[in-house]
Amino acid sequence: MSKDEINVLILAAGQGSRMKSATPKVLHRVAGQTMIDWVLASVSTLHASQLITVIGVGAQRVQEHVGDRSKFVSQMVQLGTGHAVQQAQSELKDSDGVTLIMSGDTPMFRPETLSELVAEHQNSNNAVTVLTAIAEDPTGYGRIVRGDDDTVIKIVEQKDASVTERHIKEINTGVYVFDNQLLFDALSKVENNNAQGEYYLPDTLDILRHDGQQIGAHTLHDFTESLGVNDRVALATANQIMHGRINHELMVSGVELIDPTSTYIDKTVKIAADTVIEGGVTILGDTVIGTGNLITQGSRIENSLIGDNNVITASHLESAQLANGVTVGPYAHLRPQTDLADNVHIGNFVEVKDAKLGRDTKSGHLTYIGNATVGEDVNIGAGSIFVNYDGVNKFYSTVGDHAFIGSNTKIVAPVSIADEAITAAGSTVTEDVPKHAMAIARERQTNKADFWARMPHKQ
């Protein structure tokens, strides 16, 4: 095999006990993607000859999530990082190229950083190149001890560091590029004579140096890339950093974020220029938003398709579709399979589900529209309800173009209201309404004379 080939090995077998979660650590989400999704994206530009993930705790869930994006090897008993790498030896033993090793709980590495690391290793005489970072507070990290020629002499852990070594601010990120054959040769010499009885990958560096091999390092430009996620506090930090990056990219591309520190947008979201988003907005999933929209504080939008020049005011959208010039809210709820045409108005406390509304149709207040097709230029009065469920089955209703639905109408599906038909306020409509007809479905009013005197509190 070619010496130019690149292998990638992702370590994702650990328990992640500090997360205190039934979910495997690498499947916890950061800005809309699992941590391992971020890692896979960061190595995608390397076009690896082999990409292997080491799985252990929660193996089936991790494998199902990653799918065919990676090969897998198992580390059923966790005996350290060196032991984890050894599980991939059967897959990598014939490779004469290089192997990048990183953890599945390090979601913040940029693709360009890893590409630079691999390129530096390939252009050097290093047996291994360590990715390092400069930490203002290096407490807890392994320190990088360099020689006069700038090569790495050793990595010393905090507990083993001398007073002088503890002042070193260059730290080990846990990402390495090895010459593959030298990697497994060194691993065969690693011992587990430590308190944990584990085989540590960094021990290979000392073995290689004693064998006369050169150890190099590549230093990160941005320390935050090196932050791993071991608990919920670190997960929150990762989310904060990732949302900051995403928001920065959006603002540079022309999206206006009024308060980016309180705006939470997933990496998978796409937003066009000249859309304005206030603080306190969350946008998730595969949402696509066009140009010229205004989304106000308190809105939450998930997996929705939004056209141009819409106004969404403090509302909740799930798998909804808006055309152009639509106004929504405040306090509207658009549920899955809502489809709103141009210039539709959905007002305060209106809920829509599995319904298609034609252009210029308006529902201003306190209404439920479910399992329905509503035509163009329809007015739906306040307090109207599309009664679509009998406790067992859902039923469908249609309302034609230019119809007028009076306030407090109950449309009991299945029923069809034709073009330019009218329902009187307070009606319960259970039969089809023909074109140009007005349906009145309520009892005739009866007035009881002198009833006031009968009221107990008035006697």
Side-chain angles (χ1 to χ4, degrees), residues 179-200:
D179 278 10
N180 188 68
Q181 294 297 321
L182 293 174
L183 164 65
F184 288 104
D185 181 65
L187 277 172
S188 68
K189 303 172 185 176
V190 172
E191 298 179 351
N192 66 338
N193 51 353
N194 50 65
Q196 285 73 33
E198 296 184 349
Y199 300 88
Y200 295 136

Side-chain angles (χ1 to χ4, degrees), residues 342-346 356-364 369 373-381 384 386 398-406 411 417-423:
D342 291 349
N343 305 320
V344 166
H345 171 62
I346 298 295
K356 184 174 183 178
L357 278 62
R359 63 180 298 129
D360 298 316
T361 285
K362 296 174 175 59
S363 178
I369 305 168
T373 297
V374 180
E376 297 183 359
D377 191 29
V378 174
N379 184 86
I380 302 174
S384 295
F386 284 67
T398 60
V399 178
D401 297 342
H402 312 295
F404 185 93
I405 307 301
I411 299 170
I417 298 172
D419 295 350
E420 300 172 359
I422 300 167
T423 67

Side-chain angles (χ1 to χ4, degrees), residues 75-351:
Q75 184 192 26
M76 301 315 296
V77 179
Q78 282 70 58
L79 297 177
T81 51
H83 179 258
V85 173
Q86 282 181 315
Q87 308 314 300
Q89 185 166 358
S90 60
E91 297 288 340
L92 296 174
K93 63 183 179 181
D94 295 327
S95 173
D96 293 320
V98 302
T99 297
L100 168 70
I101 302 173
M102 62 189 302
S103 174
D105 61 1
T106 53
M108 289 182 283
F109 287 112
R110 293 181 170 94
E112 52 268 33
T113 296
L114 300 179
S115 295
E116 290 171 4
L117 169 65
V118 171
E120 181 165 327
H121 178 84
Q122 290 177 321
N123 294 327
S124 72
N125 293 317
N126 298 333
V128 55
T129 304
V130 186
L131 184 62
T132 71
I134 305 300
E136 286 302 312
D137 180 7
T139 304
Y141 291 97
R143 309 302 205 279
I144 303 297
V145 181
R146 292 181 182 258
D148 294 337
D149 60 356
D150 211 35
T151 59
V152 175
I153 296 175
K154 62 179 178 177
I155 299 174
V156 59
E157 296 303 320
Q158 168 89 20
K159 58 181 172 44
D160 300 320
S162 67
V163 173
T164 300
E165 289 167 342
R166 290 188 182 192
H167 284 89
I168 297 172
K169 292 189 173 184
E170 187 177 15
I171 58 96
N172 177 24
T173 69
V175 179
Y176 311 85
V177 180
F178 284 87
D179 278 10
N180 188 68
Q181 294 297 321
L182 293 174
L183 164 65
F184 288 104
D185 181 65
L187 277 172
S188 68
K189 303 172 185 176
V190 172
E191 298 179 351
N192 66 338
N193 51 353
N194 50 65
Q196 285 73 33
E198 296 184 349
Y199 300 88
Y200 295 136
L201 181 62
D203 289 353
T204 60
L205 276 63
D206 196 45
I207 291 168
L208 289 167
R209 187 175 64 83
H210 281 293
D211 287 347
Q213 301 292 341
Q214 181 170 290
I215 313 301
H218 176 75
T219 305
L220 278 170
H221 305 298
D222 177 3
F223 172 74
T224 64
E225 290 188 54
S226 69
L227 296 175
V229 176
N230 291 314
D231 56 27
R232 305 284 183 151
V233 175
L235 185 65
T237 299
N239 270 287
Q240 185 178 38
I241 292 168
M242 281 301 194
H243 283 303
R245 288 186 195 174
I246 292 164
N247 291 348
H248 178 81
E249 291 174 3
L250 288 169
M251 289 185 288
V252 168
S253 70
V255 178
E256 184 172 345
L257 304 183
I258 302 301
D259 182 6
T261 62
S262 65
T263 304
Y264 308 101
I265 302 173
D266 281 353
K267 178 65 174 177
T268 48
V269 172
K270 296 178 175 61
I271 307 175
D274 288 327
T275 280
V276 178
I277 301 172
E278 294 181 352
V281 170
T282 300
I283 307 177
L284 308 170
D286 295 322
T287 297
V288 178
I289 300 175
T291 186
N293 296 284
L294 172 63
I295 303 171
T296 77
Q297 184 174 359
S299 295
R300 179 185 175 93
I301 302 170
E302 183 174 1
N303 295 325
S304 294
L305 180 61
I306 297 168
D308 302 331
N309 304 312
N310 302 290
V311 177
I312 300 169
T313 306
S315 294
H316 190 172
L317 282 64
E318 309 167 67
S319 302
Q321 182 169 326
L322 280 59
N324 306 309
V326 175
T327 53
V328 176
Y331 313 119
H333 187 185
L334 305 185
R335 293 170 60 193
Q337 295 178 280
T338 293
D339 185 350
L340 308 182
D342 291 349
N343 305 320
V344 166
H345 171 62
I346 298 295
N348 49 286
F349 302 104
V350 175
E351 180 177 352

Side-chain angles (χ1 to χ4, degrees), residues 430-459:
T430 59
E431 298 179 3
D432 292 352
V433 183
K435 186 173 182 177
H436 293 169
M438 181 174 72
I440 304 175
R442 60 193 184 203
E443 291 187 3
R444 185 176 298 276
Q445 180 174 326
T446 301
N447 294 334
K448 301 292 186 180
D450 300 321
F451 195 82
W452 182 258
R454 303 183 195 181
M455 300 293 287
H457 64 282
K458 296 299 180 183
Q459 294 178 357

